Amino acid sequence: MARTGPKKPGLRVLVWLGVIIVALTAVLAGGTLAGKASWAPKLALDLEGGTQMILAPKVEGGSDINEEQLNQAVAIIRQRVDGSGVAEAEISTQSGRNVVVSLPGTPSSQTRDLIQASADMNFRPVLLNGAGAAVPEESRAPEDQLPKPTAEPANSSDTNWITPEIYRQFEALDCDNPSQDEQERSDPAKPLVTCEPASGNNPAIKYILGPVEVKGSNIVTSSFQLQQGAQGAVTNEWAVNIQFDGEGTAKFKEVTERLNQFYVAAGGESGNDPKAQFAIVLDDQVISAPRSLAVITDGRPQITGGFTEQTAKALSDQLRFGALPISFEIQSEQQISATLGGEQLRMGLLAGLIGLLLVVVYSLFQYRALGFVTIASLVVAGILTYLAIAILGWTENYRLSLAGVAGIIVAIGQTADSFIVYFERIRDELREGRGLVSAVENGWKRAKRTVLASKAVNLLAALVLYFVAVGNVRGFAFTLGLTAIADLIVVFMFTHPTLQLLARTRFFGEGHRFSGLDPKRLGAVPLYRGAGRVRTPEDRPAVAVRAKNAGATAEAERRMTIAERRLAQKQAELAGSSKSAAKENK
Amino acid sequence: MPSFATFGNELYTGKRSYNFVGAKKIWFIAAAVAVALSILIPVAKGGFNLGIEFRGGSEFTVSNVKTTDATVGEEAVTDVVAGSVPRVANVAGTTMRIQTDKLTDDETLRIKEGLTTAYGVTDNEVTSTFVGPTWGADVTKQALIGLVIFVLLAAVLMALYFRTWKMSLSAIAGMVVTMFVTAGVYALSDFEVTPSAIIGFLTVLSYSLYDTVVVFDKIRENTAELDASTRRTFAEEVNLAVNQTLVRSINTMMVAILPVGAILFIGAGLLGAGTLRDLSLALFVGILIGTAATIFVAAPMYAWLRQNEPDLVRQAKRVEQRRAAAERSAAPAEPAQA
C-alpha cells in the first residue's frame, strides 16, 4: 500500500480506487459506444433461454482424449454447427474433458445428429469434376447420352461407377447453395457426389468420387512446412506432409500407382484428367483434391500447390482431425425457456437484495455508524464486481449463469466478513486502551494478515473448483473467485483508507455513543492521555510480589493487556481474598 | 441492557469465558455422535434422494400453468409413452415439474406439445431437460477430485502459514465433521441431491476452513510467546483466543447466513426447487455447522494435539507452580495475578 502523508492518510488510496473505477467504467463505456460491449452483463443460457448440450468425446478404441484432441473436437463441432446455419452458437471445452455446445432456441434433430457424429475423413479417387454451380435444366445431358455402366467396376477409379442416377445427381448439385437437409453420411463402399466449397479465390468445384480407398484413421500425423527445392534450399512454396501407418502406406502406394498412370497418360503436368486426382474428404466434403504426381511408396506424401502458410496449416490440422475418429455422446441436454430463466434471475436477485438488506440491518445494529462503512464497502464491491462481469462478458465472453448469481449472493456474506474481522480487531485495540487513530493502524496490521490468509483459502477453493469441476459448478466458482478479489481490493483500497479518515473525525475519534467505536462501551482504559502524555506510573496497578516471584510476575504483568491489568486492579480493590480471577477456567 | 459490545468486552478480557477447550471430551463425543448419525441416516433411509442428474432421464418444467393438477401432466406423458410412470410435482406457485424416464427426441417433442396444451401455456414456457445417467456421476467424480485437491492444497497452505501441521490437521478435522453433518442434514431433509447441492457442499468446505483460519490466527497470536509466560497454560490461551473471537464468529456467521437464508426461505419459496434452493440449504446448514465445528472441534483438537509436547508440559508446570505460590502467599494486599 502506498504510504500516505500525515495530514490525510488514506485519501490518496481512495483517490486511486476512484481512478480505477472511473477507468474501468470508461473502458466499458468505450466498448459500448463502439457497439462491442453492453452495459448489461451477458447472460448464460439458463437465464436467457436456449439449448445447452454437454458432449463427451469418445475416441474409437476407448483411449483417453488429450487436450489437443479435445481442441480439435471443438473445431470439428464448430465447423459442423456453423455449417448447419445456427447463428450465435457457442462451443467450448470444459475441464479438459467435455465439449459444451450452447445454442439459442431448439436445434433440429439433424443438427443434433450432426453434432454427435464422429469426424469422418477418407481418401477417394476422383471420377469426374465440374464447376460448382448446378447445370441449368435445359443444358443437362439428354437421356440417351447419359453414361451407361458396361460392367461391374473393377477398381475405385473405374468410371463404371457412374450410373445415370449419379450423373443426374451430379448435374443437379449446386455447391453455391448447398441444401442443409441432406446430412446423412455417405456409404464408403459407394460413389459420392459432393462439393469442394469455395475458398479464397478458388470457386467451388463439384465431384463424383469413387468408393473410399484410404481411411483417415490410417494417417499417423501431418505437418506443414516450406517446401524444399531440388538442392535442399527452402523455397517460398508451402507444403503439407502426411504420414501414413503401415496399412495406409500399402494402400496409398496401390492408389498412387493407379492414379499416376492417368497422370502420365494425360500428359503429366499439362494434362487434365480428373482421374489423376484423389480427393481428401472430411465429413463428406472435399477439402482438397490434389493430383498424384508420383507413386508414393513410403507412405509420406507431400501436397503442394498454391498454399499460403494459413491454408497449409488449415489443411494439416484437418488431416489430423481425420486421424482421430472422435464421436460425441450427449451427456446432458437442457432446453430452457426464456420465461423460466428470467423468472429465476428475478427471484434470485430479489432474494439477494433481501439478503443484502438483512446484512445492512444487522451491521447497523452491531456496528452502529461503522455499519455504514460496511454498506459503502459492499456497494463499492458490487460496483467492481459488476464492472468486471460486464467487461469480461465483452472481452472473454463471460456469461452470468444462475449458479454465478448464487455465487455473488453467497459472496455478500464472505465479503462482509473481512470488515467484521477488521472492526473486531480495532475494537480489541480500543479495549487495550489505544486511541482510535492508532487502534485503526494497529488493528489493520493484524487484521490484514488474517484477511489475506483467509481469502487465500477462498481463492484456492474457487480456483480448484474452476479448474476441476464441470457444469454449472464453474460459473459459481468463477464468480466466487471474482468477488474474493473484489473484496480484497475493497478492504485494502476502500474500507481501511475510509477508516483512517474517519478516525480523525470528531464523531468517531471521540468515540460517539453511536459510532460503534465508543471506548467506554468497549471497556477500555486510555493508554495515552492526550497528545504525547503517557499514563504515569501511579496509574499502574499496585503489584506486590515476593522476591522470588518478582521476575516471573513482572514478565507476566508485561504480557497482560491493559484491560486485563485493569481488571486485576479492580479485583484487588474489591476482594479481601486473593482468589484467582474468574478468567482461569481449569 | 447488556449490549453485544459488553458481551464482547467480557469475552475479550476473560471476565466471561466459555470452556470450549476444557470440555473437549464432551464436544468430541457429540461430534462423533453427529457424524455417526449423519452416516447412519442416509443408510437407514436407503440413500440420498438423488436428482435427475444422477438417475438419468427427462424433465419438463412448465411455468405459468393454469392448473396445478398433477394428473393433467401424467396424462400428457402417458398419452405419448404408454405405461410410463412420470413424477409430476407442483414445485412452486404456478410451476409444474414432470420427470420421466429417458425419452427419445420424438417423444420429448410430443410430450412437450402435450404439456403445452394440457396446462394451457405457450410454447416457450415449457422447458425440457435430458440428462444421461452418467452425467451426475461425472459431476460427483470431478467434485470429489476437486475436493481432494483442495483439501491437500489447503492443508499445505495452512501448515505453511501457521508453521505447524497440527493446526492444519485440526482445521481439516473440523472441516470433515462439517462435511459429514451437512450431508447428514441434507439427507434428513429429503431435498434432492443435485449438482447445485454439490456446489453448496464444496463452498461449505471452503467456508469451514476460512472460518477456522481466522480463529487460528488469533490462537497463534495469543500463543506466540507462550514459553516466556506463566500466566496461562497453552490450553487456556487457546480457549481465551476462541472466546475473544467468539463475537467475530457469531457476526460472521450471521452475515454469511442472512443472504443464504433469504434465498432458502424467500427465493426458494417463490421459485421452488432449483439451483438456488438446493445450494442454499447446503450452505445454510454448512455455515452453521462449520462455525460450530471451528469452536467445538478444531480449536479443542489443536490444544489436545499439542498438550503432550515437552515444552508445553514444562510451561504448564511453571504456570501451576506460580499459581500454587500465589495461593500460598495469599495476603489481602496482594492482587491475584492470575
Side-chain angles (χ1 to χ4, degrees), chain A residues 413-433:
Chain A
Q414 302 208 333
T415 302
D417 179 59
S418 311
F419 313 145
I420 293 173
V421 169
Y422 181 28
F423 295 165
E424 287 301 327
R425 288 294 201 176
I426 295 177
R427 283 180 161 190
D428 287 356
E429 297 293 323
L430 287 173
R431 286 180 182 125
E432 301 218 350

Side-chain angles (χ1 to χ4, degrees), chain A residues 374-423:
Chain A
T374 305
I375 297 163
S377 305
L378 282 175
V379 169
V380 175
I383 291 171
L384 282 175
T385 309
Y386 158 77
L387 285 173
I389 287 175
I391 290 175
L392 284 174
W394 166 31
T395 57
E396 308 293 318
N397 206 15
Y398 170 73
R399 284 164 179 268
L400 193 58
S401 65
L402 194 60
V405 174
I408 291 175
I409 296 171
V410 168
I412 298 173
Q414 302 208 333
T415 302
D417 179 59
S418 311
F419 313 145
I420 293 173
V421 169
Y422 181 28
F423 295 165

Side-chain angles (χ1 to χ4, degrees), chain B residues 213-229:
Chain B
V213 164
V214 174
V215 175
F216 277 17
D217 211 45
K218 181 72 182 165
I219 293 179
R220 181 175 69 156
E221 203 179 291
N222 281 19
T223 57
E225 290 167 50
L226 189 77
D227 50 336
S229 157

Side-chain angles (χ1 to χ4, degrees), chain B residues 103-176:
Chain B
L103 300 169
T104 64
D105 282 346
D106 183 46
E107 286 166 345
T108 308
L109 285 177
R110 273 159 56 206
I111 290 177
K112 207 172 158 179
E113 276 168 31
L115 288 170
T116 310
T117 41
Y119 282 110
V121 295
T122 61
D123 208 24
N124 56 20
E125 281 164 335
V126 181
T127 285
S128 71
T129 306
F130 152 72
V131 185
T134 57
W135 171 236
D138 225 40
V139 173
T140 316
K141 195 182 108 201
Q142 286 303 111
L144 284 176
I145 295 174
L147 172 68
V148 172
I149 296 176
F150 169 63
V151 169
L152 288 178
L153 288 177
V156 172
L157 184 80
M158 283 188 290
L160 287 177
Y161 178 71
F162 292 120
R163 307 223 175 78
T164 159
W165 60 269
K166 288 180 178 175
M167 269 197 175
S168 188
L169 182 67
S170 315
I172 284 164
M175 188 202 77
V176 169

Side-chain angles (χ1 to χ4, degrees), chain B residues 89-100:
Chain B
N90 174 227
V91 284
T94 56
T95 304
M96 299 295 291
R97 189 184 66 189
I98 298 97
Q99 296 186 328
T100 67

